[in-house]
Amino acid sequence: MRKLLNTLFVTQPDIYLSLDGDNIVLIKEKEKLGRVPLHNLESVVSFGYTGASPALMGYCADNNISMIFLTKNGRYLARVSGISRGNVYLRKAQYRLSDDLATSSSIARNFILGKLFNQRWMLERAKRNYPMRIDSEQINNISNKLTKIMNEVKQCTDLERLRGLEGQAATYYNEGFNLMILQQKEEFHFYNRSRRPPKDKINALLSFAYTLLANDTAAALETVGLDAYVGFMHRDRPGRVSLALDVMEELRGIVADRFVIALINRKEISPSDFVEKENGSVILTDEARKNFLQKWQQRKQESLTHPFLGEKISWGLVPYTQALLLARFIRGDLDQYPPFLWK
């Protein structure tokens, strides 16, 4: 089991990170603001461009502590990690499967099925929990469309066709996203997905949550010995953690989307927590980003029963369990990869 509060988030963009003994030192304008023992950490996430010393990066690489660098508004820049300690046979098997488009399609099919199942469940659960506040007829219509696409996905063997079905399902699901927002409706409305840069408040929240989830998933995959950069649905692209994007597909809705919707409905985030830049992008304020990260870490500590393993774990361990199950499938210990089907 892994600790869940062992990630250091450096949210101020003008902080330089350096090494002093076995400690990470936070420096701002040549003034030392604090120090944190490195032996308690598994990853460091830094927001901004100020950077880190080569000595610190070398120490982290040698001690299997990943360093992730993001822009101020949470866009992924780079990840620094040490020499891979993964099983070479496992990775060679992963590469062979990834090179085979037919096999990649069969694996991608389960990622997409997990995503659609969980999105449909979110809508159905919202309808059940708030029957007087949600348009049940509209939810039923969207749910039926998602079910139809899921049946098509089960029979599909072509990777491009799978991507097309996933995109079609995303259009239907996005129609239902606003139905799950029960508070602050005038200030928070989802029109469509805008990524770089996010053009509205909801997209700013989603982009931030997806970045954090992708980092968690990439770390989980590397931990079990897989290559986070070689995927099945998302094909190879320099600098992109394609396999992490694959695995997190089934987790986007139930982990990231639910988290964002809960923040809005509980009024733990408000319109005053955002800043609009000259280029039209919308980002969280520094204080709101700290609050977001605190809530995100708290959420990771909440427990659930894993639908496939039947064991009680925390939400923070879900990416690791899925990484382990994927590794078992690639090794040949499982007939197929079991997606995370939460209910």
Side-chain angles (χ1 to χ4, degrees), residues 8-34:
L8 174 64
F9 291 98
V10 183
T11 58
Q12 294 186 47
D14 52 354
I15 296 295
Y16 184 76
L17 307 177
S18 68
L19 180 69
D20 182 8
D22 293 327
N23 301 285
I24 183 171
V25 180
L26 286 68
I27 302 174
K28 180 178 181 180
E29 298 177 353
K30 298 183 179 181
E31 179 184 355
K32 295 182 179 180
L33 299 183

Side-chain angles (χ1 to χ4, degrees), residues 136-149:
S136 297
E137 184 177 349
Q138 192 172 354
I139 290 288
N140 290 337
N141 183 42
I142 297 172
S143 181
N144 290 335
K145 290 178 180 178
L146 291 177
T147 299
K148 182 179 179 181
I149 293 180

Side-chain angles (χ1 to χ4, degrees), residues 6-7 18 41 49 70 74 115 154 165 171 176 184 263 316-317 335:
N6 53 1
T7 298
S18 68
L41 297 177
Y49 298 99
L70 312 174
K115 178 179 183 178
K154 291 176 182 177
L165 291 170
T171 301
Q184 308 184 87
L263 285 181
L317 286 177
D335 292 335

Side-chain angles (χ1 to χ4, degrees), residues 113-124:
L113 282 173
K115 178 179 183 178
L116 301 188
F117 179 95
N118 292 328
Q119 288 179 338
R120 180 179 177 274
W121 170 83
M122 286 174 59
L123 294 168
E124 292 287 347

Side-chain angles (χ1 to χ4, degrees), residues 117-140 142-143 173 175-182 185 254 257-258 261-262 265 343:
F117 179 95
N118 292 328
Q119 288 179 338
R120 180 179 177 274
W121 170 83
M122 286 174 59
L123 294 168
E124 292 287 347
R125 184 185 176 102
K127 180 186 70 174
R128 183 192 68 193
N129 290 347
Y130 306 99
M132 304 302 293
R133 304 175 65 183
I134 287 184
D135 188 335
S136 297
E137 184 177 349
Q138 192 172 354
I139 290 288
N140 290 337
I142 297 172
S143 181
Y173 169 72
E175 294 175 5
F177 192 97
N178 284 317
L179 299 176
M180 293 183 283
I181 297 176
L182 306 177
K185 283 179 171 290
I254 53 170
D257 293 2
R258 283 181 67 214
I261 291 170
N265 286 341
K343 202 166 186 178

Side-chain angles (χ1 to χ4, degrees), residues 94-109:
Q94 175 189 353
Y95 301 150
R96 286 194 296 267
L97 293 180
S98 178
D99 286 338
D100 188 318
L101 290 181
T103 303
S104 292
S105 297
S106 66
I107 300 172
R109 187 165 59 230

